[in-house]
Amino acid sequence: MTTPVTTSAPSDGTLEVTARRKRMLTGDRPTGKLHLGHFVGSVENRIRLQEEYEAFFIIADLHMLTTKNTRADIDQVSTNARDMVLDQLSAGIDPEKATFYLQSAIPEVSELNTLFQNLVTVPRLERVPSLKDMARAAGKDEMPYGLLGYPVLQAADILCVKGDVVPVGKDNHAHVEVTREIARRFNNLYGEVFPIPELVISEITTLVGTDGQAKMSKSLGNTILLSDDADTVRRKVRGMYTDPNRVRADIPGTVEGNPVFLYHDAFNTDRDEVADLKERYRAGRVGDVEVKEKLAAAVNTFLEPMRDRRATYESRPGYVDEIIVDGTERTRVEVKAVVAEVKKAMGITGTYNQLRRKAEQARKRRGE
Ligand code: ATP
Ligand code: MG
Protein backbone atom coordinates (compact mmCIF):
# COMPACT_ATOMS: atom_id res chain seq x y z
CA MET A 1 0.00 0.00 0.00
CA THR A 2 1.25 3.49 -0.72
CA THR A 3 1.27 5.81 2.24
CA PRO A 4 0.38 9.41 1.53
CA VAL A 5 3.22 11.68 2.55
CA THR A 6 2.85 15.27 3.64
CA THR A 7 5.88 17.44 3.30
CA SER A 8 6.68 20.77 4.80
CA ALA A 9 9.74 22.90 4.35
CA PRO A 10 11.02 24.57 7.54
CA SER A 11 12.79 27.93 7.17
CA ASP A 12 16.27 26.39 7.46
CA GLY A 13 15.77 24.84 4.04
CA THR A 14 15.75 21.19 5.13
CA LEU A 15 12.85 19.07 3.99
CA GLU A 16 10.86 17.51 6.78
CA VAL A 17 8.84 14.50 5.74
CA THR A 18 6.08 13.15 7.93
CA ALA A 19 4.28 10.04 6.75
CA ARG A 20 0.62 9.81 7.69
CA ARG A 21 -1.14 6.48 7.36
CA LYS A 22 -4.46 6.58 5.60
CA ARG A 23 -7.44 6.43 7.93
CA MET A 24 -10.63 4.45 8.29
CA LEU A 25 -13.62 5.92 10.12
CA THR A 26 -16.81 4.07 10.86
CA GLY A 27 -18.93 3.02 13.83
CA ASP A 28 -22.33 2.44 15.30
CA ARG A 29 -25.00 4.09 17.37
CA PRO A 30 -24.96 2.87 20.97
CA THR A 31 -28.48 1.48 20.78
CA GLY A 32 -27.67 -2.14 21.67
CA LYS A 33 -25.42 -5.10 20.99
CA LEU A 34 -23.96 -5.82 17.57
CA HIS A 35 -25.54 -8.49 15.38
CA LEU A 36 -24.72 -10.54 12.29
CA GLY A 37 -25.98 -7.69 10.07
CA HIS A 38 -23.39 -5.34 11.52
CA PHE A 39 -20.78 -8.00 10.95
CA VAL A 40 -21.42 -8.58 7.24
CA GLY A 41 -22.27 -4.93 6.51
CA SER A 42 -19.29 -3.33 8.20
CA VAL A 43 -17.35 -5.15 10.93
CA GLU A 44 -15.91 -7.75 8.55
CA ASN A 45 -14.40 -4.94 6.48
CA ARG A 46 -13.19 -3.17 9.63
CA ILE A 47 -11.22 -6.28 10.56
CA ARG A 48 -9.68 -6.51 7.10
CA LEU A 49 -8.92 -2.80 6.74
CA GLN A 50 -7.35 -2.36 10.21
CA GLU A 51 -4.17 -3.95 8.85
CA GLU A 52 -3.74 -1.25 6.25
CA TYR A 53 -5.44 1.82 7.70
CA GLU A 54 -5.28 3.68 10.97
CA ALA A 55 -8.66 2.78 12.49
CA PHE A 56 -11.08 5.13 14.24
CA PHE A 57 -14.36 3.69 15.51
CA ILE A 58 -17.04 6.08 16.65
CA ILE A 59 -19.63 5.40 19.32
CA ALA A 60 -22.21 7.70 17.75
CA ASP A 61 -24.33 8.75 20.71
CA LEU A 62 -25.24 12.14 19.19
CA HIS A 63 -26.58 10.24 16.20
CA MET A 64 -28.60 8.09 18.57
CA LEU A 65 -30.36 11.24 19.81
CA THR A 66 -31.90 11.78 16.36
CA THR A 67 -34.32 8.92 17.06
CA LYS A 68 -33.85 8.07 20.76
CA ASN A 69 -33.44 10.95 23.15
CA THR A 70 -35.20 10.15 26.41
CA ARG A 71 -33.27 10.14 29.69
CA ALA A 72 -33.72 6.37 29.75
CA ASP A 73 -32.13 6.05 26.28
CA ILE A 74 -29.21 8.24 27.30
CA ASP A 75 -28.73 6.36 30.57
CA GLN A 76 -28.18 3.21 28.49
CA VAL A 77 -25.31 4.68 26.45
CA SER A 78 -22.40 3.70 28.69
CA THR A 79 -23.56 0.08 28.92
CA ASN A 80 -24.27 -0.09 25.20
CA ALA A 81 -20.93 1.55 24.38
CA ARG A 82 -19.08 -1.07 26.46
CA ASP A 83 -21.03 -3.87 24.76
CA MET A 84 -20.37 -2.51 21.28
CA VAL A 85 -16.65 -2.23 21.85
CA LEU A 86 -16.50 -5.67 23.43
CA ASP A 87 -18.43 -7.05 20.44
CA GLN A 88 -15.90 -5.56 18.06
CA LEU A 89 -12.87 -6.77 20.00
CA SER A 90 -14.43 -10.23 20.17
CA ALA A 91 -15.03 -10.15 16.43
CA GLY A 92 -11.34 -9.50 15.82
CA ILE A 93 -10.66 -5.78 16.07
CA ASP A 94 -7.21 -5.35 17.55
CA PRO A 95 -7.27 -3.01 20.59
CA GLU A 96 -3.60 -2.18 19.96
CA LYS A 97 -4.44 -0.85 16.50
CA ALA A 98 -7.89 0.66 16.81
CA THR A 99 -9.06 3.89 18.43
CA PHE A 100 -12.60 3.87 19.85
CA TYR A 101 -14.17 7.16 20.90
CA LEU A 102 -17.38 8.58 22.28
CA GLN A 103 -18.79 11.19 19.90
CA SER A 104 -20.42 13.44 22.53
CA ALA A 105 -17.16 13.76 24.48
CA ILE A 106 -15.57 15.64 21.58
CA PRO A 107 -17.48 18.95 21.33
CA GLU A 108 -15.36 20.06 18.36
CA VAL A 109 -17.28 17.51 16.26
CA SER A 110 -20.43 19.55 16.88
CA GLU A 111 -18.56 22.69 15.91
CA LEU A 112 -17.60 21.09 12.62
CA ASN A 113 -21.19 19.97 12.13
CA THR A 114 -22.30 23.61 12.47
CA LEU A 115 -19.73 24.76 9.94
CA PHE A 116 -20.77 22.05 7.46
CA GLN A 117 -24.50 22.81 7.70
CA ASN A 118 -24.25 25.50 5.03
CA LEU A 119 -22.53 23.28 2.49
CA VAL A 120 -25.61 21.19 1.73
CA THR A 121 -29.24 22.02 0.90
CA VAL A 122 -32.45 20.85 2.53
CA PRO A 123 -33.81 19.26 -0.71
CA ARG A 124 -30.55 17.30 -1.04
CA LEU A 125 -30.98 15.89 2.46
CA GLU A 126 -34.66 15.22 1.86
CA ARG A 127 -33.62 12.90 -0.97
CA VAL A 128 -31.57 10.64 1.36
CA PRO A 129 -33.79 7.54 1.52
CA SER A 130 -32.65 6.08 4.85
CA LEU A 131 -33.75 9.16 6.83
CA LYS A 132 -37.41 8.67 6.00
CA ASP A 133 -37.09 4.98 6.92
CA MET A 134 -35.53 5.90 10.25
CA ALA A 135 -38.19 8.50 11.01
CA ARG A 136 -40.89 5.94 10.25
CA ALA A 137 -39.19 3.22 12.30
CA ALA A 138 -38.96 5.65 15.24
CA GLY A 139 -42.68 6.42 14.93
CA LYS A 140 -42.21 10.08 13.98
CA ASP A 141 -44.93 11.70 11.88
CA GLU A 142 -42.66 14.56 10.89
CA MET A 143 -38.94 14.70 10.24
CA PRO A 144 -36.95 16.04 13.23
CA TYR A 145 -34.41 18.74 12.30
CA GLY A 146 -31.57 16.68 13.77
CA LEU A 147 -32.53 13.56 11.83
CA LEU A 148 -32.56 15.51 8.56
CA GLY A 149 -29.04 16.61 9.48
CA TYR A 150 -27.88 13.04 10.27
CA PRO A 151 -25.66 12.82 7.16
CA VAL A 152 -24.12 16.24 7.90
CA LEU A 153 -23.13 15.16 11.40
CA GLN A 154 -21.79 11.97 9.85
CA ALA A 155 -19.70 14.10 7.48
CA ALA A 156 -18.31 15.85 10.57
CA ASP A 157 -17.44 12.43 12.08
CA ILE A 158 -15.67 11.21 8.99
CA LEU A 159 -13.87 14.45 8.17
CA CYS A 160 -12.93 15.43 11.75
CA VAL A 161 -10.17 12.84 11.54
CA LYS A 162 -9.75 13.26 7.76
CA GLY A 163 -11.05 9.75 7.15
CA ASP A 164 -10.03 8.21 3.82
CA VAL A 165 -12.21 5.09 3.82
CA VAL A 166 -15.62 4.37 5.31
CA PRO A 167 -16.83 0.75 5.48
CA VAL A 168 -20.61 0.81 6.09
CA GLY A 169 -23.75 -1.14 5.19
CA LYS A 170 -26.22 -0.19 2.49
CA ASP A 171 -28.43 2.10 4.60
CA ASN A 172 -25.37 4.32 5.05
CA HIS A 173 -24.14 4.49 1.46
CA ALA A 174 -26.09 7.65 0.61
CA HIS A 175 -24.72 9.32 3.76
CA VAL A 176 -21.14 8.83 2.63
CA GLU A 177 -22.08 10.39 -0.70
CA VAL A 178 -23.20 13.49 1.21
CA THR A 179 -19.86 13.51 3.03
CA ARG A 180 -18.02 13.42 -0.29
CA GLU A 181 -20.09 16.35 -1.56
CA ILE A 182 -19.45 18.37 1.59
CA ALA A 183 -15.70 17.67 1.43
CA ARG A 184 -15.57 18.71 -2.22
CA ARG A 185 -17.59 21.85 -1.60
CA PHE A 186 -15.45 22.80 1.37
CA ASN A 187 -12.23 22.31 -0.60
CA ASN A 188 -13.59 24.39 -3.51
CA LEU A 189 -14.63 27.25 -1.26
CA TYR A 190 -11.78 27.37 1.22
CA GLY A 191 -8.84 25.36 -0.15
CA GLU A 192 -7.73 21.72 -0.03
CA VAL A 193 -8.26 20.64 3.56
CA PHE A 194 -10.08 17.31 3.26
CA PRO A 195 -9.55 14.02 1.47
CA ILE A 196 -12.62 12.82 -0.47
CA PRO A 197 -13.48 9.71 1.56
CA GLU A 198 -14.18 6.45 -0.21
CA LEU A 199 -17.07 4.17 0.57
CA VAL A 200 -16.06 0.54 1.17
CA ILE A 201 -18.92 -1.72 0.13
CA SER A 202 -19.32 -5.16 1.69
CA GLU A 203 -20.13 -8.34 -0.20
CA ILE A 204 -23.55 -8.55 1.48
CA THR A 205 -24.68 -4.93 1.76
CA THR A 206 -27.85 -5.71 3.77
CA LEU A 207 -28.48 -8.85 5.79
CA VAL A 208 -32.15 -9.84 6.10
CA GLY A 209 -33.69 -10.36 9.52
CA THR A 210 -34.51 -13.76 11.03
CA ASP A 211 -38.17 -12.86 10.43
CA GLY A 212 -37.61 -12.35 6.69
CA GLN A 213 -37.83 -8.54 6.90
CA ALA A 214 -35.43 -6.75 4.55
CA LYS A 215 -32.99 -5.72 7.28
CA MET A 216 -31.71 -7.29 10.46
CA SER A 217 -31.94 -4.44 12.91
CA LYS A 218 -31.72 -3.84 16.63
CA SER A 219 -34.94 -1.87 16.59
CA LEU A 220 -36.86 -4.60 14.73
CA GLY A 221 -35.92 -7.36 17.17
CA ASN A 222 -35.02 -9.79 14.38
CA THR A 223 -31.34 -10.24 15.15
CA ILE A 224 -28.80 -12.89 15.97
CA LEU A 225 -26.28 -11.18 18.22
CA LEU A 226 -22.53 -11.71 18.03
CA SER A 227 -22.79 -12.31 21.79
CA ASP A 228 -25.57 -14.93 21.65
CA ASP A 229 -24.69 -18.29 23.19
CA ALA A 230 -25.03 -21.56 21.27
CA ASP A 231 -28.48 -22.40 22.66
CA THR A 232 -29.86 -18.96 21.82
CA VAL A 233 -28.54 -19.27 18.27
CA ARG A 234 -30.21 -22.68 17.90
CA ARG A 235 -33.50 -21.31 19.24
CA LYS A 236 -33.45 -18.23 16.99
CA VAL A 237 -32.55 -20.27 13.90
CA ARG A 238 -35.28 -22.79 14.65
CA GLY A 239 -37.80 -19.92 14.65
CA MET A 240 -36.53 -18.40 11.39
CA TYR A 241 -38.78 -17.47 8.52
CA THR A 242 -38.40 -19.72 5.45
CA ASP A 243 -40.39 -20.41 2.30
CA PRO A 244 -44.01 -19.93 3.54
CA ASN A 245 -45.46 -22.13 0.77
CA ARG A 246 -43.58 -25.15 1.94
CA VAL A 247 -45.85 -26.74 4.51
CA ARG A 248 -44.32 -30.24 4.14
CA ALA A 249 -40.78 -31.50 3.57
CA ASP A 250 -41.70 -33.17 0.25
CA ILE A 251 -42.92 -29.92 -1.34
CA PRO A 252 -40.22 -28.29 -3.56
CA GLY A 253 -39.04 -25.05 -1.96
CA THR A 254 -37.57 -21.74 -3.12
CA VAL A 255 -33.94 -21.10 -2.26
CA GLU A 256 -33.57 -17.62 -3.78
CA GLY A 257 -34.26 -14.89 -1.24
CA ASN A 258 -34.97 -17.46 1.46
CA PRO A 259 -33.40 -16.12 4.68
CA VAL A 260 -32.24 -19.55 5.79
CA PHE A 261 -30.24 -20.00 2.59
CA LEU A 262 -29.03 -16.39 2.56
CA TYR A 263 -27.53 -17.12 5.99
CA HIS A 264 -26.10 -20.45 4.79
CA ASP A 265 -24.40 -18.54 1.97
CA ALA A 266 -23.08 -15.93 4.39
CA PHE A 267 -21.90 -18.09 7.30
CA ASN A 268 -21.59 -21.75 6.32
CA THR A 269 -18.05 -22.39 5.10
CA ASP A 270 -18.92 -25.95 4.00
CA ARG A 271 -19.88 -25.07 0.43
CA ASP A 272 -20.60 -28.71 -0.51
CA GLU A 273 -23.08 -29.02 2.35
CA VAL A 274 -24.82 -25.80 1.26
CA ALA A 275 -25.00 -26.93 -2.39
CA ASP A 276 -26.42 -30.31 -1.31
CA LEU A 277 -29.05 -28.70 0.94
CA LYS A 278 -30.13 -26.30 -1.80
CA GLU A 279 -30.48 -29.11 -4.32
CA ARG A 280 -32.55 -31.26 -1.98
CA TYR A 281 -34.65 -28.26 -0.88
CA ARG A 282 -35.54 -27.43 -4.48
CA ALA A 283 -36.46 -31.08 -5.08
CA GLY A 284 -38.53 -31.44 -1.90
CA ARG A 285 -36.09 -33.95 -0.41
CA VAL A 286 -35.09 -32.21 2.81
CA GLY A 287 -37.00 -30.96 5.83
CA ASP A 288 -36.67 -27.44 7.25
CA VAL A 289 -35.48 -29.01 10.50
CA GLU A 290 -32.31 -30.39 8.90
CA VAL A 291 -31.63 -27.16 6.98
CA LYS A 292 -31.97 -25.16 10.19
CA GLU A 293 -29.96 -27.54 12.36
CA LYS A 294 -27.08 -27.33 9.91
CA LEU A 295 -27.42 -23.54 9.78
CA ALA A 296 -27.38 -23.23 13.58
CA ALA A 297 -24.27 -25.40 13.68
CA ALA A 298 -22.59 -23.24 11.01
CA VAL A 299 -23.45 -19.97 12.79
CA ASN A 300 -22.16 -21.40 16.06
CA THR A 301 -18.91 -22.46 14.39
CA PHE A 302 -18.64 -18.93 13.03
CA LEU A 303 -19.26 -17.34 16.47
CA GLU A 304 -17.15 -19.75 18.53
CA PRO A 305 -13.79 -17.93 18.17
CA MET A 306 -15.56 -14.69 19.14
CA ARG A 307 -16.84 -16.33 22.32
CA ASP A 308 -13.31 -17.34 23.27
CA ARG A 309 -11.93 -13.83 22.73
CA ARG A 310 -14.88 -12.30 24.58
CA ALA A 311 -14.15 -14.46 27.63
CA THR A 312 -10.55 -13.19 27.68
CA TYR A 313 -11.55 -9.52 27.44
CA GLU A 314 -14.38 -9.90 29.96
CA SER A 315 -11.96 -11.25 32.54
CA ARG A 316 -10.28 -7.83 32.69
CA PRO A 317 -12.59 -5.42 34.57
CA GLY A 318 -12.44 -1.82 33.36
CA TYR A 319 -10.40 -2.77 30.30
CA VAL A 320 -13.02 -1.66 27.77
CA ASP A 321 -13.72 1.57 29.69
CA GLU A 322 -10.02 2.41 29.52
CA ILE A 323 -9.96 1.74 25.79
CA ILE A 324 -12.86 4.13 25.22
CA VAL A 325 -11.47 6.88 27.44
CA ASP A 326 -7.92 6.68 26.05
CA GLY A 327 -9.30 6.56 22.51
CA THR A 328 -11.53 9.56 23.12
CA GLU A 329 -8.65 11.65 24.52
CA ARG A 330 -6.44 10.71 21.59
CA THR A 331 -9.15 11.44 19.01
CA ARG A 332 -9.94 14.79 20.61
CA VAL A 333 -6.36 15.96 20.05
CA GLU A 334 -6.67 15.05 16.36
CA VAL A 335 -10.08 16.67 15.99
CA LYS A 336 -9.00 19.91 17.68
CA ALA A 337 -6.16 20.23 15.17
CA VAL A 338 -8.47 19.59 12.21
CA VAL A 339 -11.11 22.05 13.42
CA ALA A 340 -8.41 24.69 13.97
CA GLU A 341 -7.25 24.10 10.39
CA VAL A 342 -10.83 24.36 9.13
CA LYS A 343 -11.50 27.64 10.94
CA LYS A 344 -8.22 29.07 9.68
CA ALA A 345 -9.01 28.04 6.09
CA MET A 346 -12.46 29.64 6.38
CA GLY A 347 -11.05 32.85 7.82
CA ILE A 348 -13.04 32.49 11.02
CA THR A 349 -9.95 32.46 13.22
CA GLY A 350 -8.75 35.65 11.54
CA THR A 351 -11.99 37.48 12.33
CA TYR A 352 -11.65 37.11 16.06
CA ASN A 353 -7.90 37.69 16.01
CA GLN A 354 -8.44 41.05 14.32
CA LEU A 355 -11.07 42.07 16.86
CA ARG A 356 -8.82 40.97 19.70
CA ARG A 357 -5.83 42.94 18.38
CA LYS A 358 -7.93 46.11 18.08
CA ALA A 359 -9.35 45.61 21.55
CA GLU A 360 -5.85 45.18 22.98
CA GLN A 361 -4.63 48.33 21.23
CA ALA A 362 -7.58 50.27 22.66
CA ARG A 363 -6.82 49.00 26.16
CA LYS A 364 -3.16 49.95 25.76
CA ARG A 365 -4.07 53.44 24.55
CA ARG A 366 -6.10 53.94 27.69
CA GLY A 367 -3.05 52.79 29.63
CA GLU A 368 -4.73 49.71 31.09
P1 ATP B 1 -30.81 0.75 14.69
O1 ATP B 1 -31.79 -0.37 14.52
O2 ATP B 1 -30.78 1.31 16.08
O3 ATP B 1 -30.85 1.75 13.59
P2 ATP B 1 -28.81 -0.72 13.38
O4 ATP B 1 -28.89 -2.15 13.79
O5 ATP B 1 -29.38 -0.30 12.08
O6 ATP B 1 -29.41 0.08 14.58
P3 ATP B 1 -26.60 1.14 13.13
O7 ATP B 1 -25.84 1.55 14.31
O8 ATP B 1 -27.62 2.07 12.56
O9 ATP B 1 -27.30 -0.26 13.47
O10 ATP B 1 -25.62 0.70 11.97
C1 ATP B 1 -24.24 0.45 12.16
C2 ATP B 1 -23.58 -0.09 10.91
O11 ATP B 1 -24.02 -1.43 10.64
C3 ATP B 1 -23.89 0.69 9.63
O12 ATP B 1 -22.74 0.67 8.81
C4 ATP B 1 -24.99 -0.09 9.01
O13 ATP B 1 -25.06 0.10 7.61
C5 ATP B 1 -24.59 -1.51 9.34
N1 ATP B 1 -25.74 -2.42 9.41
C6 ATP B 1 -26.71 -2.40 10.36
N2 ATP B 1 -27.62 -3.38 10.11
C7 ATP B 1 -27.22 -4.00 8.98
C8 ATP B 1 -27.73 -5.12 8.21
N3 ATP B 1 -28.84 -5.75 8.56
N4 ATP B 1 -27.04 -5.51 7.12
C9 ATP B 1 -25.90 -4.88 6.75
N5 ATP B 1 -25.37 -3.84 7.42
C10 ATP B 1 -26.01 -3.40 8.54
MG1 MG C 1 -29.57 1.91 11.70
Side-chain angles (χ1 to χ4, degrees):
M1 177 215 145
T2 51
T3 309
V5 171
T6 47
T7 57
S8 59
S11 51
D12 65 0
T14 59
L15 193 68
E16 192 183 282
V17 179
T18 10
R20 174 189 172 283
R21 275 177 78 205
K22 283 205 174 198
R23 288 179 169 177
M24 144 166 62
L25 183 292
T26 186
D28 315 272
R29 305 193 301 159
T31 48
K33 294 179 174 167
L34 298 192
H35 50 66
L36 292 177
H38 292 118
F39 187 87
V40 300
S42 178
V43 176
E44 190 169 26
N45 273 330
R46 296 179 200 181
I47 295 165
R48 183 172 59 82
L49 294 167
Q50 69 178 340
E51 304 301 330
E52 204 179 310
Y53 293 86
E54 190 179 355
F56 287 87
F57 299 124
I58 183 173
I59 302 159
D61 57 340
L62 296 178
H63 273 108
M64 183 194 83
L65 298 181
T66 62
T67 55
K68 292 184 166 198
N69 62 351
T70 66
R71 248 324 278 265
D73 294 327
I74 296 164
D75 287 345
Q76 276 295 312
V77 168
S78 56
T79 304
N80 289 345
R82 256 182 233 115
D83 285 342
M84 275 168 51
V85 172
L86 191 56
D87 284 338
Q88 290 178 77
L89 298 182
S90 308
I93 295 294
D94 183 347
E96 300 294 324
K97 291 190 178 130
T99 301
F100 292 93
Y101 70 95
L102 184 67
Q103 186 184 27
S104 65
I106 305 185
E108 291 77 12
V109 171
S110 301
E111 198 175 356
L112 200 54
N113 177 50
T114 303
L115 298 174
F116 284 170
Q117 279 171 347
N118 304 302
L119 302 177
V120 66
T121 67
V122 170
R124 173 69 184 90
L125 293 172
E126 281 171 343
R127 284 199 301 274
V128 176
S130 53
L131 302 179
K132 285 194 198 91
D133 294 343
M134 285 166 83
R136 207 174 307 118
K140 315 260 180 206
D141 299 333
E142 291 187 82
M143 176 66 70
Y145 175 54
L147 184 54
L148 186 67
Y150 194 106
V152 182
L153 181 56
Q154 198 166 334
D157 300 330
I158 295 167
L159 297 173
C160 76
V161 292
K162 297 193 178 179
D164 299 282
V165 291
V166 189
V168 283
K170 182 137 198 233
D171 53 357
N172 266 268
H173 290 183
H175 303 179
V176 178
E177 196 44 50
V178 173
T179 297
R180 290 164 59 83
E181 289 169 21
I182 287 177
R184 270 195 221 104
R185 210 152 295 150
F186 185 97
N187 289 350
N188 285 340
L189 276 171
Y190 308 115
E192 291 289 320
V193 169
F194 293 115
I196 310 301
E198 266 172 51
L199 173 65
V200 182
I201 298 175
S202 50
E203 228 168 277
I204 301 168
T205 55
T206 307
L207 188 71
V208 297
T210 52
D211 57 357
Q213 288 205 65
K215 189 180 166 240
M216 180 178 283
S217 165
K218 285 172 276 194
S219 34
L220 296 174
N222 58 5
T223 62
I224 294 177
L225 301 177
L226 301 184
S227 51
D228 278 341
D229 62 24
D231 278 341
T232 308
V233 168
R234 275 190 285 272
R235 180 175 50 76
K236 287 184 174 176
V237 170
R238 225 180 288 130
M240 270 184 76
Y241 178 91
T242 55
D243 181 347
N245 298 320
R246 201 163 174 267
V247 288
R248 277 198 332 261
D250 59 353
I251 297 174
T254 306
V255 164
E256 286 68 33
N258 186 329
V260 177
F261 284 101
L262 292 172
Y263 287 19
H264 263 297
D265 283 337
F267 303 107
N268 192 342
T269 51
D270 186 345
R271 306 324 295 175
D272 293 340
E273 179 175 277
V274 176
D276 170 62
L277 287 173
K278 283 182 180 173
E279 194 188 309
R280 290 197 285 135
Y281 197 82
R282 286 194 182 102
R285 285 191 290 109
V286 65
D288 276 13
V289 173
E290 183 184 342
V291 177
K292 287 181 171 177
E293 267 171 9
K294 291 203 160 122
L295 176 60
V299 171
N300 276 325
T301 304
F302 171 76
L303 293 177
E304 204 48 51
M306 298 192 197
R307 292 177 184 139
D308 293 343
R309 278 192 292 266
R310 179 181 302 274
T312 313
Y313 289 122
E314 272 177 339
S315 68
R316 300 166 70 174
Y319 178 67
V320 171
D321 305 71
E322 259 183 80
I323 284 181
I324 298 172
V325 170
D326 293 351
T328 303
E329 303 288 322
R330 180 175 133 48
T331 308
R332 190 165 185 203
V333 173
E334 300 287 329
V335 176
K336 276 185 171 171
V338 171
V339 173
E341 189 185 348
V342 163
K343 288 166 77 175
K344 191 156 180 272
M346 292 178 74
I348 290 177
T349 321
T351 307
Y352 197 55
N353 282 346
Q354 279 177 24
L355 294 166
R356 221 174 26 206
R357 263 197 306 276
K358 293 270 183 200
E360 263 164 34
Q361 283 165 8
R363 250 186 241 118
K364 270 203 195 113
R365 270 199 304 276
R366 289 199 306 273
E368 282 171 21

